[in-house]
Amino acid sequence: VAPSVVNNALSCLASGTNCGSYKPVAKYPDIRGAMTWSINWDKTSNYNFANTVKPFLTTLP
């Protein structure tokens, strides 16, 4: 998925926002990470995943 989708999922899990129709059973404000299974994939896309998701993670409380 696109890094923006990952950011929305993290936002949903951390604070209950950007969830669309999904309703999480709880909020997880201490969530602090996300990963991709293939670092080579991120490298071939100029680290788009890391460069998009990392700055978002730093905005979490």
Side-chain angles (χ1 to χ4, degrees):
V1 299
S4 60
V5 173
V6 175
N7 286 352
N8 283 346
L10 290 167
S11 176
C12 178
L13 292 172
S15 62
T17 60
N18 297 317
C19 297
S21 62
Y22 176 73
K23 301 292 182 211
V25 295
K27 295 177 187 174
Y28 304 91
D30 294 334
I31 195 166
R32 290 291 177 260
M35 64 181 244
T36 180
W37 287 107
S38 173
I39 193 65
N40 292 332
W41 164 80
D42 200 33
K43 181 180 179 183
T44 62
S45 66
N46 201 28
Y47 297 99
N48 189 38
F49 182 87
N51 291 330
T52 304
V53 175
K54 182 181 177 180
F56 177 77
L57 287 170
T58 63
T59 69
L60 295 177

